[in-house]
Amino acid sequence: MQEYQLTLKDKRIVWGKAINIEPLIGKYPGDSIRQGVNETLDWNLPAGVYRAKEIVMELDKMLEAMLVQLGEPVNGDPTVLLDSLQANLAISGRVSSLPLGPLALEDKAGVELTAQAVRIGEQLVSWAREYNAEKKTLAKYGPETLGKMEFRSHCYGHALIPQAIAQVWGPFGGPRIMQIYNEYLHQFVLLRDALLPFANWEEVPFEVKEYTEFKRLRFLEPAREVFLTQLLGKKLTHKSIVQYAQSVVSSGLTAVGYGFQYRLGTVLPAGWGESARTAARYLLKWHPVQTIQTEGTQDLAAVSFDYEYDDYYAAPRTEAGEGTPVSKDSLPVSEKHDDKPYIARLLPNTGADRTTLRLSLEMEGREFTVDLGQLFRGHRFLYRPQGSDNAGAVKRTSISLHRAVDILSHSGLVTNADGIHFIPTGGNELIVWALLGKLYPENVVLLDHGDQEELEAAYVSGKGFGTQFLVL
C-alpha cells in the first residue's frame, strides 16, 4: 500500500492509502448534446465524474450553438457573450450574481470566500475563452446540428450587460437564444458557487448524476441556497462550509464534522500541509487518499470526521504550570528541535457511532497525539500579533518559558491561571500544529519572528486579559 503524504518544508505528514482518480475523469456513458423535443437537440451533462475544467468544456457546446444560431457577424466573435459571463461571475457590478464586493465581509470566513469567488470566476472565464477559441465543438458537430439546439431554461434569468442584450434579443436572437444563454450563465454560476469551499478547487472531483427533478448542475441548487443565505447573512460557520462541501461532491453524508471522506478522496481543512501562520482557516482541501480503510469493497466509504470534544469549553483541562521565569526583553527565541519530529502520522479511530483522527508525532523518544479536529479548531481561533487593535488590553507583568514537549505531555487541553506563557518550537511546523491542538483555544498568539516589536504587539493581542500563550 502506498501511503499518501504531504510535504511541509522539510517535514512530512503521512496517512492512509493514496488513490488515483484520473481513470474516472472524462469517462461518460453519453453525450451532453442529445435528442430533445421533436427535432430539437437538448444539452445535459451525462452522468460521471468531473472536475471544473471538464464542466467548462461541456458548457462551451451551448456557447457554440448560440453563436451558430445568431449568425454573422456574431458567430465569429464571442467577445460580448463572454464579457457578459465575466460580469455575471464578478463580485461587484450591476449584473453580478454574487455581489460580495459591496458587502465588504470582514469575518474570516467571508474574507476567504470573497477571495475564492474572485479567483474561481476569473479562471472559469479564462477557460471559457480558451475553449471557445479552439472551436472543437463546431468541428465535431457542424453548424447544422448546433443550429437545432433548443430547450427551456427554468430559472428567473440572469442580468446581461447592454451589449449582450442587444445581441441576444437582436434580429437573429429572441427567446430561443435567451433560453440557451440563460442556462449557460446559470451553469457557470452554479459551478463557481459549488467550488467556493475548496482551496484547491481546480483539482476537486465530484460526481454528477442524472436526476429526474434536476438537470445539469441544478442538483446543487437547494444546498447552494442555504449556503449563500448564511454567507450573505454573515452567519457562516465552518460546519456549514463542510456541510455544503459534502453536498457538492455528492457524499451522501448527513452527519457533519470538520472534514470527511467520500467516494473520490478525503476533504480536510485547507491548512493541513501548509504553514499555520499563513494557511486559510475556513476553506477546505481535497486529498486523493483513502483515510478510512474499508473491507470487501473498492469504493471508499463516506465517513464524517468528528471532533473528540464536541464542545471544547466542556473538555477536561490541565494547567501548564509555572514554567521557567524569563525576561520579556530577552526571550529565548532560538530554541531548536533539530532531531525530531520530521514525520507526523494520522491515526484513525473508528468507533461504533463516530470517527475521529489523531495527529501522532515523536519527540525525545516519546509519542504524542492530539485530536485533529481540535487542532483545526485551535487554528481557526488563534490570534496574530496585532496589538494596535487592542490598545486597552491589560498589561501583563509575568512571563514564563515552557518546553513544547512538556505542554504536549499534559492530559486534556492545556491552559493556565494567568500570565504570559512562551513556547518556542524552533520553527518546526509539526510542533506548531500539535500545540494548536493541545492549547485551550482562547488566547493563543502565533508569532513570526519573536523580535521586540512583534512581542510588544503580541502582549496586547488576543482577548486582552487572562492567560496568554505565545507560540513561535
Side-chain angles (χ1 to χ4, degrees):
M1 178 184 77
Q2 181 183 358
E3 284 188 306
Y4 180 71
Q5 69 175 25
L6 294 177
T7 301
L8 181 55
K9 294 183 179 178
D10 59 339
K11 312 296 188 294
R12 288 185 296 147
I13 304 171
V14 296
W15 82 94
K17 176 184 177 183
I19 60 174
N20 178 22
I21 59 98
E22 294 302 326
L24 299 177
I25 304 295
K27 302 296 188 292
Y28 312 123
D31 198 324
S32 55
I33 295 182
R34 58 187 67 184
Q35 188 63 47
V37 178
N38 299 323
E39 297 297 318
T40 65
L41 293 180
D42 195 3
W43 179 93
N44 196 2
L45 289 171
V49 177
Y50 294 83
R51 290 195 185 103
K53 205 166 188 178
E54 283 73 37
I55 298 286
V56 175
M57 198 180 305
E58 294 296 335
L59 291 174
D60 180 65
K61 295 177 181 179
M62 280 192 283
L63 179 58
E64 287 279 15
M66 284 184 285
L67 294 172
V68 166
Q69 293 180 29
L70 285 169
E72 295 288 350
V74 177
N75 65 355
D77 186 6
T79 302
V80 169
L81 297 182
L82 286 168
D83 285 349
S84 194
L85 168 65
Q86 183 170 336
N88 266 264
L89 295 182
I91 64 168
S92 60
R94 184 183 63 84
V95 304
S96 170
S97 58
L98 187 61
L100 294 175
L103 283 179
L105 297 175
E106 295 182 357
D107 60 291
K108 292 184 177 66
V111 170
E112 290 182 9
L113 288 166
T114 298
Q116 274 285 94
V118 173
R119 284 191 294 266
I120 297 172
E122 290 177 349
Q123 185 59 66
L124 292 181
V125 174
S126 177
W127 284 339
R129 295 184 190 278
E130 174 187 331
Y131 285 134
N132 189 260
E134 294 173 354
K135 301 298 180 187
K136 289 183 178 180
T137 296
L138 182 61
K140 179 178 179 179
Y141 297 95
E144 183 177 352
T145 297
L146 295 178
K148 297 178 181 179
M149 184 178 291
E150 180 180 0
F151 54 79
R152 175 77 168 92
S153 175
H154 290 280
C155 82
Y156 293 106
H158 292 280
L160 311 181
I161 62 175
Q163 300 93 322
I165 294 174
Q167 283 192 359
V168 171
W169 291 102
F172 299 100
R176 178 175 178 173
I177 297 294
M178 186 63 241
Q179 292 293 318
I180 301 175
Y181 193 44
N182 185 72
E183 193 62 38
Y184 178 77
L185 296 175
H186 191 58
Q187 292 294 312
F188 266 103
V189 169
L190 289 173
L191 180 60
R192 187 270 314 276
D193 294 350
L195 298 169
L196 289 176
F198 303 99
N200 60 338
W201 61 271
E202 307 102 316
E203 303 173 31
V204 176
F206 57 96
E207 190 170 9
V208 175
K209 301 176 183 178
E210 293 202 29
Y211 301 91
T212 55
E213 68 272 34
F214 300 114
K215 292 185 70 176
R216 310 156 186 115
L217 295 180
R218 290 178 177 268
F219 73 94
L220 297 168
E221 288 177 333
R224 170 181 175 267
E225 182 178 352
V226 174
F227 177 72
L228 292 186
T229 298
Q230 294 168 328
L231 173 61
L232 299 176
K234 303 179 182 180
K235 295 182 179 180
L236 197 64
T237 64
H238 188 260
K239 183 176 181 178
S240 59
I241 294 174
V242 175
Q243 186 172 31
Y244 180 51
Q246 290 178 178
S247 299
V248 167
V249 299
S250 303
S251 69
L253 290 167
T254 55
V256 184
Y258 61 85
F260 60 95
Q261 174 178 288
Y262 72 115
R263 189 171 80 87
L264 302 172
T266 293
V267 175
L268 292 172
W272 200 224
E274 306 289 337
S275 169
R277 292 171 173 82
T278 56
R281 303 194 192 191
Y282 281 82
L283 298 181
L284 306 173
K285 189 174 183 179
W286 169 80
H287 300 274
V289 56
Q290 181 179 9
T291 299
I292 305 299
Q293 305 300 309
T294 51
E295 299 279 341
T297 177
Q298 293 185 347
D299 290 336
L300 275 65
V303 181
S304 175
F305 301 136
D306 291 320
Y307 295 92
E308 181 179 9
Y309 306 115
D310 291 332
D311 181 4
Y312 70 91
Y313 186 79
R317 307 181 204 179
T318 301
E319 290 203 359
E322 295 181 358
T324 305
V326 293
S327 169
K328 293 171 61 175
D329 299 324
S330 59
L331 291 183
V333 299
S334 61
E335 179 172 330
K336 299 295 183 182
H337 293 269
D338 295 325
D339 53 347
K340 293 180 181 180
Y342 285 101
I343 300 177
R345 295 184 176 276
L346 289 193
L347 306 177
N349 179 26
T350 304
D353 60 344
R354 62 204 304 266
T355 298
T356 60
L357 300 173
R358 297 189 69 80
L359 173 69
S360 169
L361 48 81
E362 290 188 3
M363 295 175 62
E364 300 185 5
R366 299 172 59 188
E367 181 185 21
F368 300 94
T369 66
V370 297
D371 177 59
L372 196 67
Q374 186 63 36
L375 176 154
F376 292 127
R377 187 183 267 152
H379 182 241
R380 289 198 303 276
F381 294 168
L382 69 81
Y383 292 95
R384 301 286 276 137
Q386 295 177 336
S388 59
D389 294 337
N390 203 6
V394 174
K395 300 295 184 180
R396 302 173 181 87
T397 56
S398 65
I399 184 167
S400 56
L401 171 70
H402 298 263
R403 299 170 65 233
V405 69
D406 294 332
I407 298 295
L408 295 173
S409 298
H410 291 299
S411 61
L413 300 181
V414 177
T415 184
N416 232 40
D418 201 359
I420 301 175
H421 303 271
F422 176 63
I423 313 171
T425 68
N428 190 308
E429 290 283 356
L430 296 180
I431 300 177
V432 170
W433 279 110
L435 288 171
L436 292 178
K438 195 65 178 176
L439 296 170
Y440 184 77
E442 185 174 57
N443 227 2
V444 179
V445 183
L446 184 56
L447 305 176
D448 285 316
H449 313 292
D451 56 34
Q452 194 60 39
E453 181 180 358
E454 184 182 47
L455 288 173
E456 288 299 325
Y459 294 146
V460 291
S461 295
K463 295 179 67 176
F465 58 89
T467 303
Q468 184 187 57
F469 285 92
L470 305 181
V471 177
L472 176 60

